[in-house]
Amino acid sequence: MNEIVANDRLGAFCRDTHVEVVGASDGPLQGLTFAVKDIYDIAGHRTGFGSPDWLRTHGPAARTAPAVQGLLDAGAHLIGKTHTDELTWSLTGENAHYGAPVNVNAPGRVTGGSSSGSASAVAAGVVDFAVGSDTGGSVRLPASFCGILGIRPTHGRIPLDGVCPLAPSFDTCGWFARDADILQRVGRTLLCDNAPAPPPGRLLIAQDALEIAGETVVNALRPTFDK
């Protein structure tokens, strides 16, 4: 067990299902560290799904979830698995078996869930980014509560093979970062998209919304409007 997980005071990292994997020696994510919600399979290791009963009744995974493998192949280093609400069935981040991770940006408040440990670890600066999942807000809500960046991509855009399901018609793979550049780099890898974003063909400006937003926001957006 590495020093980060051994000295974890956030309650963010799993000990019963701990795993660490060194990523490729080269790639767009070379040298970045990440953690992964304990619903993603890692070959040769058990997946806990936030539940001691699930952990007890399921054996080691035969292969690593493609989403995680893609990050490793891109050069990122996995340092551990992170806690989740039991069976990902909540939005608070509180697990009756493993407790609630610390929200460093709002002490005494919950992290939100179910990707609680991933959000906690990123907010505290322990890892560069972390993988979660979002079915009904399980990335978006903890990102908001912890004051970090988080994204839920289009459903079906990232394969969920080797990921414990909650509601397959809604489940998505999402991720957290503190830095927008890292958030984008991880997205390029997970979405298998290295092409520059195409310019919009048409821009609709909601004048009433801009009036509410105020002059500071309008001035920040004006260069885009004028293109």
Side-chain angles (χ1 to χ4, degrees), residues 153-215:
T154 300
H155 180 260
R157 187 65 174 78
I158 300 172
L160 291 178
D161 307 77
V163 183
C164 298
L166 173 59
S169 59
F170 289 92
D171 294 344
T172 64
C173 167
W175 63 99
F176 302 95
R178 298 179 307 281
D179 178 85
D181 177 67
I182 292 177
L183 188 81
Q184 181 187 54
R185 288 164 61 190
V186 173
R188 294 287 190 190
T189 298
L190 288 172
L191 299 170
C192 300
D193 181 7
N194 293 315
R202 183 173 61 158
L203 179 63
L204 300 178
I205 300 175
Q207 294 290 354
D208 53 345
L210 289 177
E211 291 173 2
I212 295 172
E215 184 177 357

